[in-house]
């Protein structure tokens, strides 16, 4: 009978509800006991299901978005390299906490006096996860794959492209500006890179994770599916990937570094909501989370069993100006806006102390940072004087474009826009806030449809070149130079610094660049933020890297 | 009935063609250059141009549409521009995830909704009726994201009864066969896992099912009230049929038709509109899959995602229509 059927169904449902509700504090819940068990045996063990034996070192790392592809060189997003960082290795690497270049797959390197030839001495007895040996030939194949769009492993027909290779090494094979002239295999463990012109940040670039080594055998085997089948030499090998959900890596037993990695398994989880991620950490479902609202930081810090981690400064959030548009083509007006915008108030209001007010474009911990430059500061009178001097006593109107997404350098762009708006109002500049979707935002600002705009930039190789050349070099107009700023003197200094291999000389050149930019004021530098991560106290040796790609080889889980 | 079903299936053909046309055109109205988006902010103009060419974005629309439909007929949904992976392969786990969630959300909505509606109609103007309809009113007006966040806060963070995210215990992932995790766990005869999965399902199902539950409750109530006043019910009563029999056997069946319509429509709505719930509970469903694709202008994924959702919607309507004729033989088409 129908009635009975419905009745029993309700009863069943209530029963399930009740069971679920009761199990949390009891010991009978298998998922809770598994979690407790693997997180460090706090609760003792009960029935253990599945593949993980007791005592396993399994780390769950939760982040806000999924990886795009696990073929690192063909993408440029942080969520992808965060995973691939642990699967692949480059010839050079960065130090644990900074962008200082340290050995990677090559233990040593030599630079010729003219700065045109770099010889790398490779680690011997290294194998890829698929068992094939790593050698100079493999390095050559990887670089040729990125450099030559017609290479059989370039997969350009399948939509693969290697934008960062083009950016960092001046273009692709056949381009006049392509700076890598030839790659010579000297023997199995020695390889020489010959450049067309000296390149200051060359070693810095070589250490970028995007230029890490894939097994040539895997490129042959998987073809364009390589993006889902990564095979490297790193501490962890790839197991599986369910999209928008989790990526599982496991310990690579033959890893070249003795005794590493310490974890048996790393699971990268996607938890889009910041609040849910924090709840998952608190309830022990995950071990490390990234992307924390600055406002939640104080709570995490004071909470027993949790640890707050602060990444090094490696970005800038700014108010850019399209200097081709009137009246922003007037230096006095740009300086006036710099005086008018209260950057300190913005940083204080929105970053809960996890940021510093920016003075220059590059973060203060970068080499070549010009400490002699003093901030404009918030000075309404000076701003009004300058505007009057420029002939704008009666004020004017500007469009202010607000980015629609939050980024580590600007978690709340809307509020930044509102503060900027009221600051400018004080000096007689009316701003109309313009909102666009993210992709058209980038596209239209790239074409110069805007006047004022909010945006930022994160460093990826720790070199000032990556900031100045990308954002304010005349040649980058139409690309990242959305300020349409072109100054021959600045361009020349950036070019010189890029071609110089003496780091001291380079620093001097960048200091000059900053002095000019300060005077010319093509934008208002607002903030360098220090993005936050958190972990359970049981997680040891976790050192978040300023690049946001955290090496996990030394991380282990231990109870105190 | 077979003839009816065949006729109904034939009707689907123009609908499906229309759908492909619409999804195809919508995508071309969205501003933004996909090649630029894929290559990222730092790409050179030349790289963008090359990619545009290799993706066929420079071809005329008609030709692009032709290629699109031909591939569809071959069961090829294309390749994601962003991940370079085959969409057919990528999309299935997402569909399964959303299906599972929708199924349990509707289970919750139907059981609570139908029964609350029946009891309300039965005990019209009682305190139960009053309270149930008040809840129903609150239920339809409550923002889904708010409910989801509250559930998460209370039951995951404060009480710790239910997990805050995902479909499964992430430390011990299931070896998926069908991608319907409850089913997979049953196939593995792994009952503790079934239990874990149900625990993960509960909070998002309630969040997602609350609005349809409220709508179904109200619909059932009014439909039941109408039927209860009809002559044949008076006859059953006069013959001395018990309350339970009258309501569940005689009245419910005839009151079901409008309720079924609502259930069908709501299921379709949930399939496409679960993005908020999926995001808050980190549910890797089709809603999030499409949403992310929209963010990155991943044209083929947007097209396929919308098409798949629309297709499922149409299929659900088909099933509802067929059920009508089954429940009420008077309905002829």
């Amino acid at each position: 009978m129908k009635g009975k059927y419905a009745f029993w169904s309700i009863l069943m449902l209530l029963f399930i509800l009740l069971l679920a509700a009761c199990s949390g504090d009891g010991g009978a819940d298998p998922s809770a006991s598994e979690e407790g068990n693997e997180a460090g045996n706090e609760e003792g063990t009960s029935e253990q299901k599945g593949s993980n034996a007791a005592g396993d070192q399994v780390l769950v790392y939760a982040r806000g978005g999924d990886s795009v592809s696990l073929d690192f060189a063909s993408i440029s997003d942080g969520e992808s390299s965060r995973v691939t960082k642990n699967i692949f290795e480059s010839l050079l690497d960065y130090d644990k906490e900074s962008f200082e270049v340290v050995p990677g797959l090559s233990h040593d390197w030599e630079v010729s006096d003219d700065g045109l030839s770099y010889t790398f001495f490779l680690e011997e007895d290294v194998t890829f996860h698929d068992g094939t040996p790593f050698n100079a030939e493999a390095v050559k194949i990887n670089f040729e794959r990125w450099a030559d769009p017609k290479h059989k492993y370039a997969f350009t027909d399948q939509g693969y492209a290697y934008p960062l290779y083009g950016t960092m090494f001046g273009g692709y094979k056949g381009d006049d500006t392509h700076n890598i002239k030839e790659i010579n295999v000297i023997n199995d463990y020695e390889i020489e890179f010959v450049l067309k012109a000296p390149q200051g940040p060359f070693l810095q670039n070589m250490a970028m994770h995007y230029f890490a080594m894939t097994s040539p055998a895997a490129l042959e085997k998987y073809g364009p599916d390589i993006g889902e089948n990564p095979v490297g030499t790193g501490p962890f090998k790839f197991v599986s990937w369910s999209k928008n959900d989790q990526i599982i890596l496991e310990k690579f037993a033959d890893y070249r570094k003795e005794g590493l990695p310490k974890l048996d398994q790393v699971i990268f989880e996607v938890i889009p909501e910041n609040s849910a991620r924090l709840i998952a950490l608190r309830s022990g479902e995950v071990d490390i989370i990234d992307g924390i609202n600055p406002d939640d930081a104080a709570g995490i810090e004071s909470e027993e069993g949790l640890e707050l981690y602060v990444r090094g400064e490696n970005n800038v959030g700014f108010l850019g100006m399209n200097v081709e548009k009137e009246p922003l083509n007037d230096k006095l007006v740009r300086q006036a806006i710099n005086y008018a915008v209260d950057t300190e108030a913005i940083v204080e209001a929105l970053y809960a102390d996890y940021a510093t007010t920016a003075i220059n474009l590059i973060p203060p911990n970068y080499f070549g940072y010009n400490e002699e430059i003093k901030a404009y500061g918030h000075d309404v009178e000076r701003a009004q004087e300058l505007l009057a001097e420029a002939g704008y006593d009666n004020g004017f109107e500007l469009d202010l474009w607000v980015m629609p997404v939050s980024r580590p350098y600007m978690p709340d762009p809307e509020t930044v826009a509102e503060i900027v708006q009221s600051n400018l109002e004080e000096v007689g500049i009316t701003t109309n806030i313009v909102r666009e979707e993210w992709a058209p935002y980038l596209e239209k600002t790239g074409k110069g449809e805007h006047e004022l705009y909010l945006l930022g930039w994160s460093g990826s190789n720790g070199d000032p070149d990556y900031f100045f050349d990308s954002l304010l070099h005349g040649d980058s107009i139409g690309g990242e130079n959305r300020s349409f700023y072109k100054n021959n003197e600045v361009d020349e200094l950036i070019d010189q610094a890029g071609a110089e291999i003496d780091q001291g000389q380079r620093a001097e050149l960048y200091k000059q660049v900053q002095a000019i930019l300060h005077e010319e004021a093509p934008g208002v530098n607002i903030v360098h933020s220090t993005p936050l991560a958190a972990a359970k106290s049981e997680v040891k040796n976790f050192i978040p890297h300023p690049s946001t790609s955290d090496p996990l080889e030394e991380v282990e889980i231990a109870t105190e | 009935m077979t003839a009816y079903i065949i006729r109904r299936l034939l009707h689907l053909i123009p609908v499906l063609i229309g759908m492909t046309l619409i999804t195809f055109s919508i995508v071309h109205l969205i501003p933004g250059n996909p090649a630029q988006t894929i290559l990222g902010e730092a790409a050179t103009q030349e790289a963008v141009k090359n990619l545009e060419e290799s993706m066929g974005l420079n071809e005329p629309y008609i030709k692009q549409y032709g290629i699109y439909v031909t591939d569809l007929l071959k069961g090829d949904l294309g390749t994601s521009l962003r991940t370079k992976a085959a969409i057919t392969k990528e999309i299935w786990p997402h569909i399964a995830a959303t299906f599972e969630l929708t199924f349990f959300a509707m289970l919750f909505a139907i059981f609570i909704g139908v029964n609350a509606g029946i009891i309300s109609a039965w005990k019209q103007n009682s305190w139960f009726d009053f309270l149930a309809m008040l809840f129903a009113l609150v239920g339809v007006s409550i923002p889904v994201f708010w409910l989801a966040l509250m559930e998460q806060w209370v039951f995951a963070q404060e009480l710790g009864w239910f997990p805050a995210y995902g479909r499964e215990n992430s430390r011990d992932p299931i070896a998926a066969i069908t991608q319907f995790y409850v089913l997979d766990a049953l196939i593995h005869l792994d009952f503790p896992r079934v239990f874990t999965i149900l625990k993960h399902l509960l909070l998002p199902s309630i969040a997602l099912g609350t609005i349809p539950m409220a709508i179904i409750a109200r619909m059932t109530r009014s439909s039941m009230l109408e039927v209860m006043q009809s002559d044949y019910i008076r006859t059953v009563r006069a013959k001395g049929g018990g309350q339970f029999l009258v309501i569940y056997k005689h009245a419910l069946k005839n009151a079901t038709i409008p309720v079924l319509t609502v259930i069908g429509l709501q299921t379709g709505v949930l399939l496409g509109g679960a993005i908020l719930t999926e995001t808050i509970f980190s549910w890797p469903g089709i809603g999030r899959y499409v949403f992310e694709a929209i963010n990155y202008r991943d044209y083929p994924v947007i097209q396929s995602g919308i098409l798949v959702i629309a297709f499922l919607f149409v299929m659900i309507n088909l099933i509802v229509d067929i059920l009508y004729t089954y429940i009420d033989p008077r309905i002829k088409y």
Side-chain angles (χ1 to χ4, degrees):
Chain A
M1 278 178 61
K2 274 222 164 66
K4 255 193 184 144
Y5 171 70
F7 177 74
W8 282 113
S9 313
I10 296 173
L11 210 67
M12 269 286 286
L13 194 77
L14 285 175
F15 182 58
I16 293 173
L17 273 165
L18 203 73
L19 264 183
C22 291
S23 57
D25 33 14
D29 170 29
S31 74
S33 60
E34 270 162 29
E35 278 152 17
N37 175 5
E38 282 151 18
N41 295 318
E42 315 145 297
E43 294 186 347
T45 51
S46 60
E47 72 263 46
Q48 171 74 43
K49 282 274 165 195
S51 54
N52 311 318
D56 273 1
Q57 292 274 320
V58 178
L59 181 100
V60 183
Y61 189 129
R63 57 214 179 114
D66 200 9
S67 298
V68 175
S69 164
L70 298 179
D71 180 48
F72 42 84
S74 67
I75 29 92
S76 56
D77 77 312
E79 292 305 349
S80 299
S81 61
R82 193 198 288 276
V83 175
T84 53
K85 174 78 193 168
N86 290 290
I87 303 176
F88 295 100
E89 295 175 295
S90 317
L91 292 189
L92 303 175
D93 202 354
Y94 296 122
D95 188 48
K96 281 172 199 160
E97 285 175 80
S98 72
F99 281 105
E100 192 193 322
V101 173
V102 298
L105 281 173
S106 69
H107 55 82
D108 217 345
W109 55 92
E110 259 175 33
V111 190
S112 66
D113 291 339
D114 56 6
L116 290 177
S117 154
Y118 287 78
T119 308
F120 294 92
F121 304 96
L122 308 180
E123 287 281 348
E124 299 181 20
D125 300 324
V126 175
T127 53
F128 286 103
H129 299 158
D130 60 4
T132 55
F134 164 76
N135 52 32
E137 199 56 48
V139 176
K140 188 172 157 82
I141 291 173
N142 273 280
F143 272 89
E144 282 174 349
R145 172 184 178 220
W146 304 319
D148 180 6
K150 293 189 182 71
H151 195 272
K152 67 171 171 165
Y153 299 140
F155 313 128
T156 19
D157 290 346
Q158 283 80 18
Y160 278 73
Y162 309 95
L164 267 152
Y165 181 88
T167 310
M168 307 321 289
F169 298 111
Y172 302 91
K173 191 180 173 186
D175 295 352
D176 290 340
T177 49
H178 182 216
N179 202 26
I180 297 183
K181 194 162 107 192
E182 53 193 62
I183 300 173
N184 302 315
V185 173
I186 297 169
N187 60 44
D188 264 6
Y189 301 106
E190 254 177 72
I191 189 161
E192 183 196 30
F193 285 71
V194 181
L195 306 187
K196 285 182 190 157
Q199 186 179 359
F202 183 74
L203 288 173
Q204 212 69 33
N205 291 351
M206 289 295 281
M208 285 175 84
H209 177 62
Y210 301 99
F211 309 122
M213 297 295 120
T214 297
S215 155
L219 287 167
E220 179 68 41
K221 181 176 169 192
Y222 296 111
D225 292 336
I226 194 73
E228 294 186 301
N229 297 282
V231 180
T233 60
F236 296 96
K237 55 182 184 183
F238 173 75
V239 178
S240 69
W241 181 6
S242 50
K243 297 275 167 77
N244 281 327
D245 190 9
Q246 58 177 201
I247 293 176
I248 302 176
L249 309 182
E250 68 178 21
K251 180 183 204 147
F252 176 43
D254 294 330
Y255 186 48
R256 63 187 174 92
K257 292 183 193 165
E258 202 62 42
L260 295 179
K262 293 180 178 167
L263 295 167
D264 293 318
Q265 219 179 26
V266 179
I267 299 173
F268 287 93
E269 281 285 322
V270 181
I271 306 185
E273 275 289 301
N274 285 2
S275 60
R277 220 175 308 129
L278 188 52
I279 291 173
L281 179 72
R282 286 193 166 128
S283 62
E285 292 169 83
V286 304
D287 303 304
I288 300 180
I289 62 172
D290 198 3
I292 287 167
N293 297 333
D295 292 337
D296 287 331
I300 295 169
E301 234 180 348
S302 63
E303 198 165 323
E304 191 138 337
L306 296 186
E307 220 63 58
L308 184 74
Y309 291 89
V310 183
R311 286 185 199 279
E313 278 168 357
N314 184 32
N315 60 35
V316 62
F318 56 78
L319 171 73
M321 308 181 200
N322 183 346
V323 301
E324 282 192 335
K325 293 263 173 89
E326 258 186 76
L328 296 172
N329 55 357
D330 189 332
K331 183 171 95 182
L332 296 176
V333 171
R334 299 198 298 262
Q335 288 176 342
I337 291 175
N338 264 282
Y339 281 114
V341 174
D342 191 351
T343 51
E344 259 175 54
I346 293 172
V347 174
E348 207 167 298
L350 296 173
Y351 294 84
D353 290 341
Y354 293 101
T356 49
T357 312
I359 298 169
N360 290 310
L361 193 67
I362 53 173
N365 57 357
Y366 268 51
F367 83 89
Y369 182 84
N370 193 335
E371 283 168 1
E372 280 158 30
I373 291 172
K374 294 282 163 276
Y376 275 92
H378 185 51
D379 190 340
V380 176
E381 269 174 41
R382 184 83 187 97
Q384 282 165 335
E385 276 171 35
L386 283 165
L387 286 177
E389 199 182 320
Y392 292 100
D393 303 69
N394 302 323
F396 49 85
E397 277 190 33
L398 286 175
D399 284 344
L400 168 59
W401 287 46
V402 188
M403 45 195 269
V405 294
S406 77
R407 282 288 180 270
Y409 48 75
M410 210 172 281
D412 186 359
E414 279 286 326
T415 311
V416 174
E418 281 164 21
I419 298 175
V420 168
Q421 189 175 40
S422 76
N423 283 160
L424 293 181
E425 196 69 61
E426 277 179 285
V427 299
I429 303 171
T430 311
T431 45
N432 315 307
I433 292 186
V434 178
R435 294 178 181 81
E436 269 286 1
E437 296 286 315
W438 189 219
Y441 185 91
L442 294 176
E443 192 177 321
K444 289 180 180 175
T445 51
K447 285 183 191 149
E449 291 183 21
H450 60 295
E451 285 164 343
L452 298 175
Y453 69 107
L454 291 176
L455 207 63
W457 193 246
S458 295
S460 60
N461 61 352
D463 198 283
D465 180 71
Y466 194 66
F467 281 72
F468 294 119
D469 189 58
S470 309
L471 296 173
L472 292 169
H473 194 288
D475 291 349
S476 304
I477 290 174
E480 279 308 314
N481 185 346
R482 298 163 203 276
S483 299
F484 291 81
Y485 178 75
K486 183 165 172 59
N487 178 316
N488 291 336
E489 202 185 345
V490 168
D491 287 358
E492 209 165 288
L493 285 169
I494 294 174
D495 289 342
Q496 265 184 39
E500 175 62 58
I501 46 173
D502 182 297
Q503 292 291 318
Q505 288 279 352
R506 296 187 67 211
E508 278 315 306
L509 293 165
Y510 287 125
K511 282 182 184 169
Q512 290 178 41
V513 170
Q514 287 160 75
I516 299 169
L517 290 177
H518 184 73
E519 170 73 18
E520 286 269 295
V524 181
N525 300 317
I526 298 174
V527 66
H528 306 296
S529 77
T530 52
L532 303 169
K536 292 201 290 199
S537 311
E538 288 88 32
V539 175
K540 307 293 178 201
N541 306 331
F542 174 58
I543 302 171
H545 195 265
S547 68
T548 76
S549 301
D550 308 322
L552 299 173
E553 58 185 31
E554 292 187 17
V555 172
E556 62 182 323
I557 294 169
T559 39
E560 272 137 297
Chain B
M1 194 136 116
T2 322
Y4 167 65
I5 293 173
I6 290 170
R7 216 164 51 233
R8 247 339 231 99
L9 284 173
L10 286 177
H11 281 167
L12 284 183
I13 294 171
V15 175
L16 292 176
I17 292 175
M19 266 161 42
T20 54
L21 264 173
I22 291 168
T23 49
F24 187 79
S25 330
I26 287 174
V27 159
H28 281 88
L29 295 175
I30 299 173
N33 177 346
Q36 177 80 57
T37 318
I38 295 161
L39 294 179
E41 298 160 31
T44 62
Q45 289 305 309
E46 204 191 332
V48 172
K49 224 175 117 202
N50 285 342
L51 188 58
E52 270 178 350
E53 270 163 31
S54 75
M55 280 165 33
L57 286 168
N58 296 340
E59 304 281 356
Y61 286 175
I62 301 292
K63 197 173 169 197
Q64 285 189 49
Y65 176 72
I67 296 169
Y68 175 60
V69 172
T70 321
D71 286 345
L72 274 183
L73 291 174
K74 285 188 242 160
D76 177 6
L77 289 174
T79 310
S80 162
L81 299 181
R82 197 162 154 248
T83 65
K84 286 115 192 161
I87 297 172
T88 324
K89 206 175 93 199
E90 269 194 354
I91 207 169
W92 174 245
H94 290 91
I95 293 173
T98 296
F99 244 90
E100 195 167 68
L101 179 58
T102 308
F103 177 78
F104 280 90
M106 285 313 287
L107 207 67
F108 163 78
I110 293 168
F111 279 132
I112 309 277
V114 168
N115 286 291
I118 290 172
I119 299 171
S120 286
W122 179 14
K123 307 268 184 197
Q124 200 189 352
N125 299 327
S126 68
W127 63 268
F128 180 89
D129 182 24
F130 175 74
L131 252 152
M133 288 306 111
L134 186 72
F135 269 117
L137 186 66
V138 175
V140 284
S141 351
I142 211 166
V144 175
F145 74 90
W146 184 84
L147 180 64
L149 287 171
M150 285 300 116
E151 280 181 358
Q152 215 168 41
W153 176 48
V154 175
F155 295 104
Q157 172 154 323
E158 295 303 318
L159 298 171
W161 290 354
F162 296 101
Y165 81 98
R167 301 177 67 190
E168 240 276 70
N169 176 9
S170 51
R171 284 170 210 278
D172 179 19
I174 189 166
I177 304 163
T178 62
Q179 301 289 347
F180 295 100
Y181 283 7
V182 176
L183 210 60
D184 285 346
L186 286 172
I187 293 172
H188 288 299
L189 293 177
D190 186 350
F191 295 106
R193 195 190 284 276
V194 173
F195 189 85
T196 312
I197 293 167
L198 287 176
K199 267 180 72 169
H200 281 80
L201 270 162
L202 196 87
L203 294 185
S205 298
I206 292 176
L208 194 60
T210 295
I211 289 177
M213 177 196 74
I215 295 173
I216 290 169
R218 285 162 59 156
M219 200 66 203
T220 311
R221 180 178 179 271
S222 61
S223 178
M224 280 295 281
L225 281 176
E226 202 175 303
V227 173
M228 298 275 269
Q229 274 149 26
S230 63
D231 292 345
Y232 83 96
I233 292 291
R234 222 177 307 143
T235 315
V236 177
R237 277 192 168 144
K239 280 163 67 183
Q243 260 323 351
F244 215 74
L245 181 82
V246 171
I247 288 168
Y248 279 94
K249 186 168 184 200
H250 296 282
L252 184 59
K253 195 169 174 188
N254 282 323
T256 304
I257 299 286
V259 176
L260 203 60
T261 312
V262 169
I263 290 173
L265 283 176
Q266 285 297 315
T267 310
V269 170
L270 291 198
L271 274 178
I275 301 172
L276 282 175
T277 320
E278 284 175 0
T279 305
I280 293 171
F281 287 102
S282 316
W283 202 267
I286 183 91
R288 255 178 65 205
Y289 185 58
V290 175
F291 178 74
E292 238 154 76
I294 291 171
N295 250 340
Y296 286 90
R297 299 287 178 275
D298 196 341
Y299 284 46
V301 174
I302 300 171
Q303 285 172 335
S304 306
I306 294 176
L307 195 66
V308 166
I309 293 170
F311 180 73
L312 292 174
F313 200 98
V314 170
M315 293 319 281
I316 289 166
N317 275 327
L318 177 72
I319 293 167
V320 169
D321 281 357
I322 293 169
L323 279 178
Y324 285 166
T325 57
Y326 170 73
I327 288 171
D328 188 348
R330 287 176 304 179
I331 297 177
K332 291 275 187 293
Y333 294 86

